[in-house]
Amino acid sequence: MELRKYLDVGRDNESDQLFLVNGKGEHHAWKRGTVSFPFFGQLILDCLERTERAMTQEHAFKAAELCLIAQRDAQRVC
């Protein structure tokens, strides 16, 4: 499954689109003006101020660990 928020590589360069492709098909939704991005600002403040607004440090390390495991175990299909 692949989830993209900002860019449809094959068709359109407009932002604020959501693309979901899974075993059931390809789905597209326009999201302009429907959601805000508090996470990014909170994450920057976490880095600058050493706080845990966006996520806990434990959560961040677990996400990084899972990314490394997924990359290690990935199989090339093309």
Side-chain angles (χ1 to χ4, degrees):
M1 182 171 86
E2 180 177 354
L3 181 64
R4 291 181 180 230
K5 166 74 173 81
Y6 299 110
L7 178 66
D8 179 6
V9 177
R11 287 182 284 198
D12 198 342
N13 62 0
E14 290 287 324
S15 62
D16 298 329
Q17 300 180 63
L18 181 65
F19 301 93
L20 172 63
V21 180
N22 58 21
K24 297 178 181 178
E26 182 179 320
H27 311 279
H28 170 264
W30 288 95
K31 294 299 175 184
R32 180 168 290 148
T34 62
V35 293
S36 61
F37 304 99
F39 173 81
F40 298 113
Q42 292 170 352
L43 182 62
I44 290 168
L45 289 174
D46 284 349
C47 295
L48 294 173
E49 299 174 357
R50 298 181 181 199
T51 57
E52 295 185 336
R53 290 180 182 93
M55 69 173 68
T56 64
Q57 188 177 37
E58 180 182 357
H59 184 125
F61 282 125
K62 179 54 78 173
E65 177 188 8
L66 292 172
C67 288
L68 292 170
I69 290 169
Q71 187 174 26
R72 180 196 67 200
D73 296 346
Q75 297 178 6
R76 186 173 299 271
V77 293
C78 50

